[in-house]
Amino acid sequence: SVNLSKGPLNNIGALNYHELVPGHHFHLATQQENETLHPLRQRSIVNVYNEGWAEYAATFAGEIGMYREPEERFGRLMMDAFLTCRLVVDTGMNVLGWTIEGARQYLRNNGFMPEAEIHSETIRYSCDMPGQALAYKLGDTFLYDARERMRTALGDRFDIRDFHDAVLKPGALPLPLLKQHVERETERLANIGADD
Protein backbone atom coordinates (compact mmCIF):
# COMPACT_ATOMS: atom_id res chain seq x y z
CA SER A 1 0.00 0.00 0.00
CA VAL A 2 1.15 3.53 -0.72
CA ASN A 3 1.19 6.09 2.07
CA LEU A 4 1.22 9.38 0.18
CA SER A 5 1.92 11.46 3.29
CA LYS A 6 5.20 9.61 4.02
CA GLY A 7 6.91 9.49 0.66
CA PRO A 8 7.89 11.53 -2.38
CA LEU A 9 5.03 12.74 -4.57
CA ASN A 10 6.95 13.05 -7.83
CA ASN A 11 5.39 9.81 -9.03
CA ILE A 12 1.79 10.85 -8.37
CA GLY A 13 1.15 11.51 -12.08
CA ALA A 14 2.56 8.12 -13.08
CA LEU A 15 0.55 6.46 -10.32
CA ASN A 16 -2.64 8.17 -11.52
CA TYR A 17 -2.03 7.16 -15.15
CA HIS A 18 -1.35 3.58 -14.00
CA GLU A 19 -4.37 3.32 -11.72
CA LEU A 20 -6.92 5.49 -13.52
CA VAL A 21 -6.92 6.73 -17.12
CA PRO A 22 -5.49 5.41 -19.38
CA GLY A 23 -4.62 2.60 -16.93
CA HIS A 24 -6.67 0.21 -14.78
CA HIS A 25 -9.86 2.24 -14.56
CA PHE A 26 -10.02 2.64 -18.32
CA HIS A 27 -9.37 -1.00 -19.23
CA LEU A 28 -11.57 -2.40 -16.46
CA ALA A 29 -14.47 -0.10 -17.37
CA THR A 30 -14.04 -0.97 -21.05
CA GLN A 31 -14.09 -4.67 -20.21
CA GLN A 32 -17.06 -4.47 -17.83
CA GLU A 33 -19.12 -2.44 -20.31
CA ASN A 34 -18.43 -4.84 -23.19
CA GLU A 35 -21.75 -6.67 -23.53
CA THR A 36 -20.31 -9.08 -26.10
CA LEU A 37 -18.22 -10.70 -23.34
CA HIS A 38 -19.63 -13.40 -21.06
CA PRO A 39 -20.33 -11.95 -17.58
CA LEU A 40 -17.40 -13.92 -16.15
CA ARG A 41 -15.10 -12.44 -18.79
CA GLN A 42 -16.41 -8.94 -18.06
CA ARG A 43 -15.00 -9.31 -14.55
CA SER A 44 -11.95 -11.48 -15.28
CA ILE A 45 -8.48 -10.53 -14.21
CA VAL A 46 -5.34 -11.86 -15.83
CA ASN A 47 -2.59 -10.29 -13.80
CA VAL A 48 -0.02 -9.98 -16.59
CA TYR A 49 -2.64 -8.34 -18.84
CA ASN A 50 -4.05 -6.03 -16.17
CA GLU A 51 -0.73 -4.84 -14.76
CA GLY A 52 0.91 -4.87 -18.17
CA TRP A 53 -1.78 -2.59 -19.57
CA ALA A 54 -1.54 -0.23 -16.59
CA GLU A 55 2.23 0.08 -16.95
CA TYR A 56 1.99 0.45 -20.71
CA ALA A 57 -0.61 3.19 -20.12
CA ALA A 58 1.58 5.04 -17.62
CA THR A 59 4.44 5.09 -20.13
CA PHE A 60 2.14 5.87 -23.06
CA ALA A 61 0.89 8.88 -21.10
CA GLY A 62 4.41 10.26 -21.42
CA GLU A 63 4.52 9.53 -25.14
CA ILE A 64 1.47 11.70 -25.69
CA GLY A 65 2.71 14.55 -23.50
CA MET A 66 0.75 13.99 -20.29
CA TYR A 67 3.87 14.46 -18.11
CA ARG A 68 4.27 18.19 -18.62
CA GLU A 69 6.78 19.07 -15.91
CA PRO A 70 10.30 17.67 -15.49
CA GLU A 71 9.33 16.53 -11.97
CA GLU A 72 6.48 14.45 -13.44
CA ARG A 73 8.81 12.83 -15.98
CA PHE A 74 11.27 12.11 -13.18
CA GLY A 75 8.37 10.67 -11.18
CA ARG A 76 7.65 8.24 -14.02
CA LEU A 77 11.28 7.13 -13.91
CA MET A 78 11.00 6.77 -10.12
CA MET A 79 7.96 4.54 -10.56
CA ASP A 80 9.75 2.44 -13.15
CA ALA A 81 12.72 2.07 -10.79
CA PHE A 82 10.32 1.08 -8.00
CA LEU A 83 8.68 -1.61 -10.15
CA THR A 84 12.05 -2.89 -11.33
CA CYS A 85 13.30 -3.04 -7.74
CA ARG A 86 10.22 -5.06 -6.75
CA LEU A 87 11.03 -7.57 -9.47
CA VAL A 88 14.62 -7.85 -8.21
CA VAL A 89 13.45 -8.25 -4.61
CA ASP A 90 10.80 -10.82 -5.53
CA THR A 91 13.38 -12.89 -7.41
CA GLY A 92 15.98 -12.37 -4.70
CA MET A 93 13.76 -13.59 -1.90
CA ASN A 94 11.93 -16.39 -3.73
CA VAL A 95 14.69 -17.80 -5.93
CA LEU A 96 18.06 -16.60 -4.67
CA GLY A 97 17.47 -16.96 -0.92
CA TRP A 98 17.78 -13.32 0.09
CA THR A 99 16.76 -12.51 3.63
CA ILE A 100 13.91 -10.09 4.12
CA GLU A 101 16.34 -7.58 5.62
CA GLY A 102 18.65 -7.93 2.61
CA ALA A 103 15.69 -7.25 0.34
CA ARG A 104 14.72 -4.24 2.42
CA GLN A 105 18.23 -2.86 2.20
CA TYR A 106 18.17 -3.28 -1.58
CA LEU A 107 14.93 -1.24 -1.72
CA ARG A 108 16.41 1.43 0.55
CA ASN A 109 19.40 1.75 -1.76
CA ASN A 110 17.52 1.71 -5.05
CA GLY A 111 13.77 2.19 -4.74
CA PHE A 112 12.91 5.81 -3.80
CA MET A 113 10.56 4.35 -1.18
CA PRO A 114 9.59 5.36 2.36
CA GLU A 115 10.35 2.82 5.08
CA ALA A 116 6.70 1.79 5.62
CA GLU A 117 6.39 0.92 1.93
CA ILE A 118 9.67 -0.98 2.00
CA HIS A 119 8.28 -3.13 4.81
CA SER A 120 4.92 -3.75 3.12
CA GLU A 121 6.46 -4.49 -0.29
CA THR A 122 8.92 -7.05 1.09
CA ILE A 123 6.08 -8.85 2.85
CA ARG A 124 3.97 -8.66 -0.32
CA TYR A 125 6.66 -10.30 -2.42
CA SER A 126 8.06 -12.72 0.15
CA CYS A 127 4.85 -14.53 1.03
CA ASP A 128 1.71 -12.71 -0.15
CA MET A 129 2.17 -12.47 -3.93
CA PRO A 130 5.44 -14.08 -5.02
CA GLY A 131 5.96 -13.76 -8.77
CA GLN A 132 3.45 -10.94 -9.17
CA ALA A 133 6.13 -8.30 -9.73
CA LEU A 134 6.98 -10.00 -13.02
CA ALA A 135 3.47 -9.31 -14.36
CA TYR A 136 4.09 -5.56 -14.56
CA LYS A 137 7.27 -5.81 -16.61
CA LEU A 138 6.33 -8.85 -18.68
CA GLY A 139 2.95 -7.41 -19.67
CA ASP A 140 4.33 -3.95 -20.42
CA THR A 141 7.16 -5.35 -22.55
CA PHE A 142 4.75 -7.66 -24.37
CA LEU A 143 2.42 -4.77 -25.25
CA TYR A 144 5.22 -2.58 -26.59
CA ASP A 145 6.56 -5.46 -28.66
CA ALA A 146 3.07 -6.24 -30.01
CA ARG A 147 2.55 -2.58 -30.86
CA GLU A 148 5.81 -2.42 -32.78
CA ARG A 149 4.98 -5.63 -34.67
CA MET A 150 1.64 -4.11 -35.69
CA ARG A 151 3.34 -0.83 -36.64
CA THR A 152 5.87 -2.68 -38.81
CA ALA A 153 3.20 -4.84 -40.46
CA LEU A 154 0.89 -1.90 -41.25
CA GLY A 155 3.49 0.76 -42.03
CA ASP A 156 1.82 4.09 -42.85
CA ARG A 157 -1.59 2.57 -42.18
CA PHE A 158 -0.76 1.98 -38.50
CA ASP A 159 -3.08 3.83 -36.12
CA ILE A 160 -2.41 3.62 -32.39
CA ARG A 161 -6.18 3.51 -31.81
CA ASP A 162 -6.38 0.25 -33.76
CA PHE A 163 -3.70 -1.26 -31.55
CA HIS A 164 -5.45 -0.15 -28.38
CA ASP A 165 -8.75 -1.55 -29.67
CA ALA A 166 -7.06 -4.86 -30.45
CA VAL A 167 -5.73 -5.04 -26.90
CA LEU A 168 -8.75 -3.73 -24.99
CA LYS A 169 -11.79 -5.06 -26.85
CA PRO A 170 -11.33 -8.75 -26.00
CA GLY A 171 -10.85 -7.95 -22.31
CA ALA A 172 -8.20 -9.54 -20.12
CA LEU A 173 -6.52 -12.47 -21.84
CA PRO A 174 -3.45 -14.61 -21.21
CA LEU A 175 -0.60 -13.28 -23.35
CA PRO A 176 -0.57 -16.12 -25.93
CA LEU A 177 -4.27 -15.50 -26.65
CA LEU A 178 -3.78 -11.75 -26.73
CA LYS A 179 -0.91 -12.21 -29.18
CA GLN A 180 -3.17 -14.27 -31.46
CA HIS A 181 -5.91 -11.65 -31.24
CA VAL A 182 -3.57 -8.76 -32.05
CA GLU A 183 -2.11 -10.75 -34.97
CA ARG A 184 -5.62 -11.45 -36.35
CA GLU A 185 -6.51 -7.77 -36.04
CA THR A 186 -3.27 -6.78 -37.74
CA GLU A 187 -4.02 -9.15 -40.62
CA ARG A 188 -7.60 -7.87 -40.87
CA LEU A 189 -6.40 -4.26 -40.97
CA ALA A 190 -3.72 -5.09 -43.54
CA ASN A 191 -6.35 -6.63 -45.80
CA ILE A 192 -8.76 -3.69 -45.64
CA GLY A 193 -8.64 -2.11 -49.05
CA ALA A 194 -6.08 -4.67 -50.31
CA ASP A 195 -8.56 -5.94 -52.90
CA ASP A 196 -9.29 -2.43 -54.23
Side-chain angles (χ1 to χ4, degrees), residues 19-90:
E19 297 295 344
L20 301 172
V21 174
H24 285 312
H25 176 73
F26 184 73
H27 85 78
L28 290 170
T30 300
Q31 180 174 300
Q32 289 173 10
E33 293 169 3
N34 185 345
E35 294 178 359
T36 66
L37 295 177
H38 185 281
L40 289 175
R41 293 275 329 285
Q42 287 178 319
R43 303 258 188 268
S44 70
I45 292 177
V46 177
N47 206 23
V48 69
Y49 174 96
N50 291 61
E51 296 303 344
W53 172 262
E55 269 311 286
Y56 167 87
T59 302
F60 180 68
E63 291 178 9
I64 60 174
M66 294 173 76
Y67 299 111
R68 292 185 182 99
E69 301 299 324
E71 295 84 4
E72 293 172 312
R73 291 191 295 278
F74 178 70
R76 175 65 195 134
L77 295 173
M78 282 176 57
M79 186 168 175
D80 192 49
F82 161 72
L83 294 172
T84 302
C85 286
R86 289 196 323 193
L87 179 55
V88 170
V89 163
D90 184 333

Side-chain angles (χ1 to χ4, degrees), residues 42-196:
Q42 287 178 319
R43 303 258 188 268
S44 70
I45 292 177
V46 177
N47 206 23
V48 69
Y49 174 96
N50 291 61
E51 296 303 344
W53 172 262
E55 269 311 286
Y56 167 87
T59 302
F60 180 68
E63 291 178 9
I64 60 174
M66 294 173 76
Y67 299 111
R68 292 185 182 99
E69 301 299 324
E71 295 84 4
E72 293 172 312
R73 291 191 295 278
F74 178 70
R76 175 65 195 134
L77 295 173
M78 282 176 57
M79 186 168 175
D80 192 49
F82 161 72
L83 294 172
T84 302
C85 286
R86 289 196 323 193
L87 179 55
V88 170
V89 163
D90 184 333
T91 305
M93 287 189 293
N94 292 296
V95 177
L96 302 176
W98 288 13
T99 65
I100 198 162
E101 187 49 43
R104 287 176 176 162
Q105 192 57 50
Y106 181 87
L107 291 176
R108 284 182 197 105
N109 293 344
N110 300 288
F112 298 100
M113 301 165 66
E115 195 64 27
E117 195 170 3
I118 288 170
H119 281 263
S120 68
E121 291 299 314
T122 50
I123 295 298
R124 176 180 183 176
Y125 289 106
S126 68
C127 60
D128 183 31
M129 302 175 88
Q132 197 244 359
L134 179 58
Y136 293 80
K137 291 293 187 183
L138 182 63
D140 178 43
T141 301
F142 171 87
L143 289 171
Y144 271 96
D145 290 348
R147 185 177 85 179
E148 292 315 303
R149 283 192 304 275
M150 182 183 263
R151 182 189 312 276
T152 299
L154 297 177
D156 292 343
R157 296 171 59 194
F158 175 78
D159 186 327
I160 193 72
R161 294 170 296 188
D162 292 330
F163 174 71
H164 292 157
D165 282 349
V167 170
L168 294 171
K169 281 188 177 179
L173 291 172
L175 296 185
L177 294 178
L178 183 59
K179 181 177 187 234
Q180 289 174 8
H181 183 75
V182 172
E183 286 172 351
R184 278 194 307 271
E185 280 299 295
T186 302
E187 186 176 333
R188 184 186 70 76
L189 292 165
N191 289 328
I192 292 174
D195 296 331
D196 296 344

